Structure formats: structure tokens, C-alpha cells
Amino acid sequence: MYKPCADKSCFAHKGESCALGETDLAQCASWCATITDDESEEISTPTTTFRVPWSGSALGLADMANLNPRGRTILIGVLGAHDAGKTTLLTGNYLQLLRGQSLANAQFAGSRTLGAWEALAAWTRFDDAARPATFPPHTPRGISRVPGLLHLALRNTKGEFRDVLLTDAPGEWFTRWAIKEDAPEAEGARWVVRNADAFLVFADCNRLAASNQKRGTARNELRQLLERLGNHVGNRPTTLVWAKDDIEPSADIRSSIQQTLARQIPHVIEVSSSTNQPATLTNVMETALCHAWSPVLATYQVEPVLHHQPFSAFRGCHAYA
């Protein structure tokens, strides 16, 4: 058991990399600051092979501070019920980038969560044991107060660089938040809605086209989520994703949801996606990114001239011969 580092944003004592990138923790001043002279011979430091201040796992709040100096960060909140296809869409976009494809007219320029991306992508690949590829597993509910953040660094054709963060959170958080906004177990959902620059909201066409009871429940849950989000979204870009759209819900179900959209989030954009058509997965992400990427120009400020203040007429000192 190791003592926590003096740097509160470092989690080397939990086996992660040093926040300052030190490969030998004994050389890190922050790490050594927690070890007294009496303990120096008794407490060993964990070994590490990391050469960068991140581990490749999903990012947390402390990790975001390392990205802020690089430029503007875009946080996309991915909302939807359990098994609506959120993680599958994220994985599909990662696999497309691995093939060299662009995303929103931008090329892949790195990631600090390659380990987390690969953990998801591994489920879609065939291995030596001939295990058939399948969808990524359900995101565990866990006890975390905020979601894991998947990171992509992208550079567009104009040379503009963006760090893009995508939330990978369990659907139960949003279902609970839609029912009771201040529920303790919905803290993660509240964090996403409070901090996101843009939203992807998933409508599960498979559930919406199921038997009478199931599709009614799915419709009501989705409408509750849209109504709750409508109270907070403001003018932030929002995209409704008709996921698994190779299965068609009834016209009444679709119309009911679109009426809720028109009332609660009138600026929403509707798109469709299906794993049977991988290109639709990137189309969804491009829709969200293109609107969130647009720079917001600062309003030109003109300082008023206050004639009643003598100091406003001061023009500097003059030397007289």
C-alpha cells in the first residue's frame, strides 16, 4: 500500500503513471514529499514503465487539466437508455479512424485513452481462438460520480486542433436523471449535462418497435429524457440519433417523439445509424462535431469615454525645457 502523492492530481499510488511523466518515482519531488526520513527505507516506490503523464485509460476530472493548455476542448455528452447503442457508436468511430478515415473533415492526431479505446475495440475483432466478434459490453453502472471520458485529438483541413472528449456513461444514470433530477445516483448524468458542449441523444429503434408494453416503456423513457434535457440544453448543439434504424418504429411512435423534440429542443438535428451501415456511425459523430467545432467569436468591446472623469483625459507626462 503506497501513500498518495503530494500532487492531488496524480494517482501513481494506484498504479497509474506519474502526473509529471517521471518513469522513476523516486526521482519525482511530489512523490518523495510524502515520504518521511523514517519511512524512506521502509517504503518502496511502485515501478512504472510509463513515459507520459497518462495511462491510456479513460480520463477523469483531474486528467482534464493536462489538456486545457493545448487549446479548446470539445466535450460531447452521449445520452441514452441502457443498451441504446452509445458505446457501439463510439467504438465504430474509433475503428473508422484506425482505417485512416477522417472525422468531420479532421484527421486523427492522437489520443490519451488508447488503452480504453482498445478495450472496447477488442470485442469487435476475431482472435486466435476464433471467438466471434460481438458488440462491446454494457458500460457498468459502478459508483463513479462522473463518467469515464474517451479522448480523441483531431486536426482539420484548416490546421485547427481540437481535443475531443466523449462521455461513456451507463444508460441507467440518464434514465434515473430523467425521472428524478436530483437523485443521488444521477450525479454523473448531471455532470454531463452541465458541462457538455454538444449532445448526442440515442433513440433505440429496436425497443421502440418491440411489443406493445416494451415499446410504450421505451417511448415514455425517451420522452422523459428529452423533456428533462430541454430544461437545460439552451442553445447547445443537440442531435437525436435513431439508432439501429434497420428496425423501423411505427409512425405514431416516431411522431410522438418528434413532437416532444419540437416542443422541448426545437433546434435538434435528427440522424440515423446502424451497424449494418458503418458509414452512418461516423455521420452521427460528424454531425455533432461540425456544430460544436465552429468557433465562437468574441464580441468586440468598446470602452466608453467617461467625460466626467478627469483621469480619462490624461495623455501622459510631458517634459518642459
Side-chain angles (χ1 to χ4, degrees), residues 56 155 181 225:
R155 190 179 300 277
E181 183 173 355
L225 178 59

Side-chain angles (χ1 to χ4, degrees), residues 45-113:
T45 58
T47 57
T48 176
T49 58
F50 297 114
R51 296 186 179 275
V52 291
W54 61 86
S55 64
S57 302
L59 301 181
L61 293 185
D63 304 299
M64 293 178 66
N66 293 326
L67 293 177
N68 290 338
R70 286 158 52 108
R72 181 169 179 262
T73 299
I74 299 175
L75 175 62
I76 297 182
V78 185
L79 285 63
H82 159 65
D83 199 31
K86 303 184 297 297
T87 302
T88 298
L89 180 130
L90 295 175
T91 306
N93 278 273
Y94 172 70
L95 293 175
Q96 294 289 70
L97 287 173
L98 284 184
R99 298 176 59 189
Q101 296 191 15
S102 61
L103 184 59
N105 295 319
Q107 295 291 329
F108 176 77
S111 174
R112 293 191 176 181
T113 58

